[in-house]
Amino acid sequence: MTHDHEHDHGHDHGDVFHSHAPASKMKTAFALTLVILIVEVIGGWISHSLALLSDAGHVLTDIAAIGLSWFALKQAEKRSNEKMTYGYYRSGILAALINGITLILITVWILWEAYDRFQKPEAVTPVWMFVSAGVGLLMNLYLGLGMRKEEDINVKSAVLHMLGDAAASAGVIVGGVIILVTKWYVIDPILSVLIALLIAFGAWKIVRQTVVILMEGTPKGVDFQKVVGEIRSAPGVQDVHDVHVWSITSGKNAMSCHVVLDGDMTIRDSQKILRDIEHRLIHMGIGHVTIQTEDAEHPHSESEICATKELVHHH
């Protein structure tokens, strides 16, 4: 039996299974990032700054990333149907995974460019670097900091793109100041390497988290043994097995399990136990619960984790 409803026990749990991802904010982000790209391409062309043109290349991937995230958020708004019974939440996870991998590829490209720059430092016109990179810095900080508190992993990956870009723009400005004062052109690739490592670290975390979700792993922040212990401690529950805890998407956790009850119990009595278990699990961040009730005679494995062999029905 499946339960996914709000119930009042004298206090409000909030809607643990629903979040409003900021699709309108992503639309704004897409438009403003397009402005940054145009400014940086013009600025890079006028100043002959390869650093600024490289940053514009980085911004171009941001536009793809933000566009992808925006598309995924719109997909997630679609209602579930007979073909997609969980809806389209996973499209956001796929977008986050693609974004994360893209960021790692960008890092490799920046490091390759930096290596080339160490060999042949380029003379640049710093004034246009300041103007163009300044626009990029301010807009990316405005966008990234405005959405940094969002829990949606897809939005987080887009925010990481924006903050990575802000860092890259700041690096271009700092590099421009040092070049203006000292003519020490090698500062440009040094900053590029530092920015690349910063981007790679964040990207790896996102890729790792999305892989756990796609592999139906136990969600971050959920203690499997605590969940099992909480179910076992509910009055009337004799045992629990075949427990699965997973994320449908970031922040939307689900669980299924089999609980062993007294075989002589009425359905009404078993409903009270189910409601008690649901109530306990909502407090643990699990909002979608499917529980199969059994008596002690029902054939099952003793393990809390699903048995690897399926039970075979003999005629």
Side-chain angles (χ1 to χ4, degrees):
M1 41 191 95
T2 304
H3 302 270
D4 183 21
H5 55 248
E6 293 302 316
H7 48 277
D8 188 18
H9 289 265
H11 57 282
D12 181 31
H13 295 296
D15 194 349
V16 297
F17 200 64
H18 195 77
S19 70
H20 296 280
S24 60
K25 285 186 184 175
M26 296 303 272
K27 188 177 177 180
T28 308
F30 187 83
L32 291 179
T33 309
L34 195 60
V35 172
I36 297 168
L37 176 70
I38 294 163
V39 170
E40 290 205 343
V41 167
I42 294 168
W45 181 67
I46 293 170
S47 67
H48 304 289
S49 167
L50 187 60
L52 205 50
L53 288 172
S54 302
D55 198 34
H58 186 195
V59 173
L60 186 62
T61 62
D62 275 6
I63 288 175
I66 292 164
L68 195 62
S69 297
W70 179 22
F71 167 75
L73 290 172
K74 296 303 285 181
Q75 287 290 106
E77 287 172 10
K78 288 185 185 175
R79 290 188 175 277
S80 52
N81 55 48
E82 288 176 12
K83 287 195 167 130
M84 293 285 187
T85 55
Y86 270 130
Y88 292 81
Y89 291 116
R90 283 280 167 93
S91 57
I93 297 304
L94 292 172
L97 179 65
I98 294 165
N99 283 359
I101 292 167
T102 308
L103 281 163
I104 290 168
L105 293 174
I106 289 165
T107 304
V108 172
W109 178 76
I110 291 171
L111 292 172
W112 178 259
E113 282 291 310
Y115 173 76
D116 198 46
R117 200 67 75 78
F118 278 122
Q119 310 293 318
K120 301 179 287 246
E122 290 247 347
V124 294
T125 315
V127 178
W128 277 101
M129 284 174 73
F130 300 146
V131 174
S132 308
V135 169
L137 175 65
L138 292 173
M139 284 196 183
N140 276 302
L141 283 176
Y142 167 73
L143 292 169
L145 297 176
M147 287 194 277
R148 75 187 187 285
K149 288 192 169 73
E150 295 295 336
E151 284 302 308
D152 188 293
I153 191 172
N154 173 36
V155 178
K156 275 185 177 176
S157 69
V159 167
L160 190 70
H161 269 276
M162 293 167 198
L163 294 179
D165 231 14
S169 297
V172 171
I173 292 167
V174 171
V177 170
I178 294 169
I179 289 166
L180 191 64
V181 175
T182 65
K183 305 283 187 227
W184 192 42
Y185 297 119
V186 81
I187 195 70
D188 181 69
I190 291 170
L191 284 166
S192 300
V193 169
L194 293 174
I195 292 164
L197 294 175
L198 186 73
I199 296 167
F201 177 72
W204 175 245
K205 277 169 71 176
I206 281 173
V207 168
R208 199 174 58 192
Q209 207 177 332
T210 55
V211 167
V212 168
I213 291 172
L214 292 171
M215 291 293 291
E216 308 279 353
T218 302
K220 192 179 172 189
V222 172
D223 184 325
F224 184 86
Q225 288 304 329
K226 270 191 185 168
V227 169
V228 170
E230 197 63 43
I231 297 167
R232 277 215 176 99
S233 68
V237 174
Q238 294 176 1
D239 201 6
V240 60
H241 57 270
D242 208 355
V243 180
H244 299 272
V245 189
W246 71 98
S247 288
I248 292 157
T249 187
S250 180
K252 296 185 193 303
N253 299 333
M255 194 207 78
S256 69
C257 68
H258 298 189
V259 295
V260 180
L261 305 177
D262 179 355
D264 296 327
M265 187 179 281
T266 65
I267 290 174
R268 182 168 290 165
D269 288 337
S270 74
Q271 289 303 303
K272 286 178 188 166
I273 294 169
L274 290 177
R275 279 196 288 274
D276 180 24
I277 294 170
E278 284 174 3
H279 180 244
R280 289 162 181 255
L281 292 171
I282 275 184
H283 281 289
M284 302 181 88
I286 301 169
H288 185 91
V289 181
T290 307
I291 300 170
Q292 177 172 312
T293 56
E294 303 170 353
D295 66 8
E297 300 302 310
H298 192 280
H300 65 265
S301 155
E302 294 301 313
S303 172
E304 297 129 5
I305 298 167
C306 175
T308 48
K309 289 181 182 173
E310 294 293 317
L311 293 170
V312 180
H313 178 66
H314 295 287
H315 294 284

